[in-house]
Amino acid sequence: MTEREVVVKSDAGVHARPAMMIVKEAMKYPCEVKLIKDDVEADCKSIMSVLGLAIVSGSRLVVRASGDGEAKVVEMIVTMIENNFRSHEESSQKN
Amino acid sequence: MENTILVKNFLEDTGAIDLQIRLVAGGSGLSREIRIGDINRPGLTLAGFYDFFAYDRIQIFGLGESAYLRQLSDDDKREVLTKFFSFDVLCCVFTHDEEPDSLFLEFADRKGVPVFVTRKDTTRFISSLIYLLNEAFAPTITMHGTFVDVYGIGVLLIGRSGVGKSECALELVERGHRFIADDVVLIKRVDESILMGGGSPLLKHHMEIRGLGIINVKDIFGIRSVRDRKRVELVVILEEWVQNKEYDRLGLEEQTYPILDIDVPSIMVPVRPGRNIPIIVETAALNQRLKKLGIFTARELDRTIQENLMRGKNIK
């Protein structure tokens, strides 16, 4: 099991689009990925679950994964949150 | 998760149960936290017996307590209330619409102890209050699954993401069953044997279907297709069909799935393309209803067969 803590800095919090980015990233890996906020666990592969956490700017989250590719997926999602979901949007615009 | 509720929550919408209360004093203490789901009748305390005074609970003043206070002389009353309010009393509720006198209100205001008056009688009020407190303090868990009311049985579909829980629920809704929650199911143990499930207030009646995105079941299918909460009575575990894995073929043994230390009847349904999962869930729900009535099909068939075998043996 790999887990890391991260604080959301993005002003808008995790609304539909950022939530989708997290889910898309998690779906690339076969392992179980969880997002935890205030003891409430959400399945990172479910958009409703992530949206249901109501993550606002300043929320402290734990990204936890267990299974194949756990280190990589935790790393990717934490980086995405730390970068305020920006680099990914930019890279998708380039494509 | 530790639950606390604020006294002021009682003034707000308490759902199906209306406590019929109004605040008469101590408004400054409305943000006090209720930490224990118990109540106290302060009769003995008012009469001078202060041992075991549970001041940190909601104090219920019934007809007896009100009458006792009323018959006291002003001096005695002042003395009783001084002692009573020297404790950090949580809040007081007077039943039968018996409003306390100005001296009581004065003490309560000074100490910031909220005082409510209810139109209900003491027994009715206490039973409503205990129900609400039990709900508020019930152990809660959030589960990843889809929750549907199928023929009156609360069916919780669980399984890995992408296994087809939401699609199954959608088909069930289309067949006239009622949708409760998708993906995030909040489950409360409201009693030693009762689990109540509902959706998160934020995601109410929404569902994600791969390829469609997020849909609102209530808007699309109408009010009859949804409900807010339901008892969790059957867990259906959906999993991808694994070759050579042993699946239950008889149904003689009852499987259970533990949620908050309660064993909920469960079935494991292997999924593969072309398999009609909704009809299996419907049948499982009906079968569960039969079991609740004491009719256990697999065991009955087994018994009939055994009786037949015995008879055959005797004839020989």
Side-chain angles (χ1 to χ4, degrees), chain A residues 16 27 30-31 34 38-41 43 45-54, chain B residues 1 142 144 159-162 182-184 200 202-203 205-208 210 214-215:
Chain A
M27 291 295 284
C31 58
K34 300 261 187 227
D38 305 333
D39 295 335
V40 182
E41 264 186 26
D43 184 339
K45 297 186 179 181
S46 144
I47 190 122
M48 297 292 286
S49 200
V50 175
L51 283 176
L53 285 181
Chain B
M1 220 187 308
T142 306
H144 177 65
R160 284 169 60 97
S161 39
D182 186 34
D183 269 348
V184 184
S200 105
L202 190 67
L203 303 174
H205 307 145
H206 286 81
M207 186 192 258
E208 187 222 348
R210 305 274 152 88
I214 294 170
I215 60 166

Side-chain angles (χ1 to χ4, degrees), chain B residues 14-225:
Chain B
T14 43
I17 291 179
D18 182 7
L19 289 175
Q20 299 180 7
I21 57 172
R22 61 178 196 277
L23 181 74
V24 290
S28 60
L30 281 177
S31 295
R32 283 166 181 257
E33 282 179 357
I34 303 172
R35 292 198 181 84
I36 312 170
D38 294 330
I39 56 146
N40 186 47
R41 291 290 302 268
L44 279 174
T45 319
L46 295 173
F49 185 73
Y50 275 85
D51 295 5
F52 304 104
F53 177 31
Y55 56 85
D56 54 351
R57 303 179 185 180
I58 297 173
Q59 309 293 321
I60 312 283
F61 289 72
L63 280 181
E65 283 86 352
S66 294
Y68 179 79
L69 285 175
R70 212 179 303 123
Q71 53 84 45
L72 289 174
S73 69
D74 277 0
D75 289 346
D76 287 348
K77 197 185 290 175
R78 193 170 287 277
E79 194 182 319
V80 165
L81 293 180
T82 308
K83 181 87 193 268
F84 183 79
F85 281 106
S86 68
F87 290 83
D88 188 17
V89 178
L90 177 68
C91 75
C92 304
V93 182
F94 284 77
T95 60
H96 288 279
D97 221 2
E98 285 271 352
E99 204 160 310
D101 65 6
S102 54
L103 189 63
F104 193 97
L105 300 179
E106 194 187 306
F107 268 94
D109 270 332
R110 203 182 310 143
K111 294 280 289 185
V113 177
V115 178
F116 300 97
V117 174
T118 174
R119 288 203 302 277
K120 292 194 173 204
D121 67 52
T122 315
T123 311
R124 303 281 176 288
F125 179 77
I126 290 177
S127 78
S128 306
L129 183 64
I130 297 274
Y131 179 85
L132 287 173
L133 289 171
N134 277 346
E135 278 258 320
F137 287 103
T140 306
I141 188 178
T142 306
M143 285 190 67
H144 177 65
T146 303
F147 194 34
V148 194
D149 171 355
V150 182
Y151 294 126
I153 297 281
V155 180
L156 179 66
L157 302 161
I158 56 172
R160 284 169 60 97
S161 39
V163 79
K165 299 183 291 289
S166 304
E167 284 82 354
C168 177
L170 196 59
E171 173 71 32
L172 287 166
V173 167
E174 176 65 29
R175 285 163 180 260
H177 303 293
R178 290 192 282 175
F179 169 76
I180 305 151
D182 186 34
D183 269 348
V184 184
V185 186
L186 301 176
I187 298 174
K188 274 187 173 191
R189 190 178 70 206
V190 292
D191 188 74
E192 291 311 302
S193 61
I194 299 176
L195 294 169
M196 289 299 283
S200 105
L202 190 67
L203 303 174
K204 222 173 186 179
H205 307 145
H206 286 81
M207 186 192 258
E208 187 222 348
I209 298 288
R210 305 274 152 88
L212 277 183
I214 294 170
I215 60 166
N216 185 326
V217 176
K218 189 175 152 196
D219 287 350
I220 295 183
F221 297 95
I223 189 72
R224 68 177 173 179
S225 64

